[in-house]
Amino acid sequence: MTTETILTNARLVLEDRIVSGSLVFKDGLISEIAEGKSANGVDMDGDYIIPGLVELHTDHLESHYSPRPGVRWNAISAIQSHDAQIASSGITTVFDCLRLGSDADDGFVVGEMRAIADALAEARSENRLRADHLIHLRCEVSAADVLEHFADFQTDGQVRLASLMDHAPGQRQFQTMEQYTLYYKTKRGLSDEAFAHFVTRRQDSSARYSDKHRRFLAGACAERGITIASHDDATLDHVEEAAGFGVKLAEFPTSIEAAQASHKAGMSVLMGAPNVVRGGSHSGNIAATDLARAGVLDVLSSDYIPFSLIHAPFVLADEIEHLDLPAAIRLVTATPAKTVGLDDRGSLSSGKRADLVRVRRESGVPVVRSVWRQGERVA
């Protein structure tokens, strides 16, 4: 016989309201939501129960695999370290970003990202992972070798999302040289001469490759049913181009106009949860809270701080009058799941996966107390 689990005396965060009651799950699925206490349940002591978080964009695995410039860590060890931090942050579904496209000064060589994807598959087959890991390919369309990198993933079913990016100076995220200089020259300690050479090479590469690579990759992803994301859209022309490619996710738009147009066109607008927690963008672009106030923020991503994904919704619910906690939690659960076609998770409702997080939050930073993935306790 299948054993069912009852969580009771909980504040259940549904998509549109909070219910004080009980949740029942068995066989990895939610079977019942009920108001009131159950005499047979595990007492949640009034804590919140929310759906497991769905993370669409995190570079965090890369920082474990390459913790220092030129250093490469054992892939399985890096994955397990990353996975533990992901799960303990309440994330039960994670799209691990793998960076495709490099030049002489940056990125990974052809084959490295393929090896990480193979290690992910191996870790999954050996039951090493707490969260459900899928792959997000971050495709640098201005790189000469991005299609060679992409060819490594022609038949990989782990790939469910791909973003089309151009980080050349004057493009999208870096429309001003002031931002670009800070991000590349200052942080890398380049001389004026070396930086000028770096900028020229990047601009020439963008002019030569970006358009044709963007078109090829958008077509290839559409054929395979891979959700396509735009990245750092800044203008209405960028948004119109993205809509033409069938983009479903607009990552980190850099202007309010681009965010509004993307939202109006039916794309899910994604911003960084660290942006919310810090109160602004680290690169000087628009604040996620401004988009939330304008009603055009749809998805949050932890980007580089996994725990920010559970922290940011509470900040938004505190600070924005028209955004209650259920609406804020949708930004990290139901909406990202729907955007990438994962209709089996993302909400507390009968028949959905029992991906659950127990959260205590009296004030300030929330505490993740327990995490279940498909009914199995993983943290």
Side-chain angles (χ1 to χ4, degrees):
M1 294 179 62
T2 300
T3 302
E4 68 177 17
T5 300
I6 304 172
L7 308 180
T8 194
N9 189 23
R11 285 180 286 178
L12 307 171
V13 182
L14 309 184
E15 287 199 57
D16 59 351
R17 65 193 188 281
I18 299 175
V19 172
S20 294
S22 305
L23 179 148
V24 183
F25 61 86
K26 60 182 178 181
D27 297 329
L29 301 176
I30 298 169
S31 58
E32 185 181 353
I33 299 286
E35 295 190 30
K37 289 186 180 181
S38 168
N40 302 318
V42 181
D43 193 340
M44 295 290 102
D45 197 26
D47 291 344
Y48 292 109
I49 296 295
I50 68 172
L53 308 187
V54 178
E55 170 60 90
L56 298 185
H57 180 119
T58 175
D59 306 332
H60 199 246
L61 174 55
E62 182 178 307
S63 68
H64 284 274
Y65 171 66
S66 181
R68 293 288 187 273
V71 173
R72 299 294 187 262
W73 205 250
N74 175 277
I76 293 290
S77 177
I79 289 165
Q80 289 187 196
S81 178
H82 161 64
D83 174 69
Q85 190 169 354
I86 286 291
S88 65
S89 299
I91 299 168
T92 53
T93 301
V94 56
F95 282 68
D96 294 318
C97 289
L98 301 184
R99 185 160 36 133
L100 307 188
S102 60
D103 64 18
D105 300 306
D106 192 24
F108 299 101
V109 300
V110 173
E112 279 193 271
M113 296 296 99
R114 178 65 260 165
I116 292 179
D118 290 341
L120 272 169
E122 180 183 346
R124 184 185 300 108
S125 70
E126 295 176 350
N127 197 29
R128 294 174 178 267
L129 303 178
R130 306 178 189 206
D132 188 6
H133 290 253
L134 298 166
I135 290 176
H136 172 170
L137 297 179
R138 299 175 68 235
C139 305
E140 186 62 43
V141 296
S142 64
D145 62 355
V146 67
L147 300 189
E148 188 179 357
H149 284 250
F150 184 75
D152 278 344
F153 294 87
Q154 289 278 16
T155 60
D156 193 334
Q158 299 176 101
V159 179
R160 299 289 296 272
L161 177 62
S163 52
L164 310 179
M165 311 180 300
D166 186 349
H167 287 104
Q171 299 294 322
R172 303 187 185 245
Q173 181 179 359
F174 299 108
Q175 295 186 81
T176 70
M177 284 307 299
E178 181 181 358
Q179 291 174 312
Y180 199 81
T181 300
L182 173 65
Y183 201 84
Y184 285 99
K185 181 178 187 290
T186 306
K187 287 187 176 181
R188 294 178 179 219
L190 298 177
S191 67
D192 290 343
E193 182 179 1
F195 181 64
H197 179 66
F198 180 85
V199 168
T200 299
R201 188 173 66 253
R202 285 292 183 92
Q203 289 176 329
D204 289 348
S205 183
S206 178
R208 182 175 181 181
Y209 297 114
S210 287
D211 184 61
K212 67 178 182 179
H213 285 175
R214 192 183 302 274
R215 292 179 183 280
F216 176 88
L217 290 166
C221 290
E223 287 180 8
R224 290 175 54 186
I226 297 170
T227 301
I228 306 170
S230 62
H231 196 78
D232 296 330
D233 288 345
T235 68
L236 297 182
D237 286 343
H238 291 159
V239 176
E240 183 178 357
E241 178 188 60
F245 287 143
V247 165
K248 300 296 184 185
L249 182 68
E251 294 188 324
F252 311 109
T254 62
S255 71
I256 186 69
E257 294 80 13
Q260 290 172 328
S262 297
H263 184 81
K264 185 177 180 180
M267 303 175 207
S268 293
V269 175
L270 178 150
M271 293 291 281
N275 185 313
V276 172
V277 174
R278 294 180 66 253
S281 167
H282 74 278
S283 59
N285 291 314
I286 56 175
T289 50
D290 289 341
L291 298 190
R293 289 189 177 93
V296 295
L297 176 64
D298 302 298
V299 176
L300 287 173
S301 147
S302 71
D303 200 5
Y304 56 93
I305 301 290
F307 195 80
S308 67
L309 203 64
I310 191 71
H311 189 184
F314 288 94
V315 173
L316 290 175
D318 286 345
E319 294 185 356
I320 299 179
E321 186 175 350
H322 71 267
L323 194 70
D324 60 13
L325 186 60
I329 293 296
R330 287 200 304 270
L331 301 175
V332 295
T333 56
T335 304
K338 291 173 183 175
T339 299
V340 294
L342 295 178
D343 299 325
D344 60 346
R345 69 198 76 182
S347 65
L348 302 186
S349 53
S350 182
K352 296 285 189 179
R353 283 173 41 145
D355 293 352
L356 311 168
V357 185
R358 179 184 180 183
V359 184
R360 172 163 292 181
R361 202 263 189 165
E362 303 296 339
S363 63
V365 180
V367 177
V368 174
R369 303 192 70 191
S370 308
V371 181
W372 294 263
R373 177 169 67 89
Q374 291 181 283
E376 179 182 352
R377 179 81 181 269
V378 294

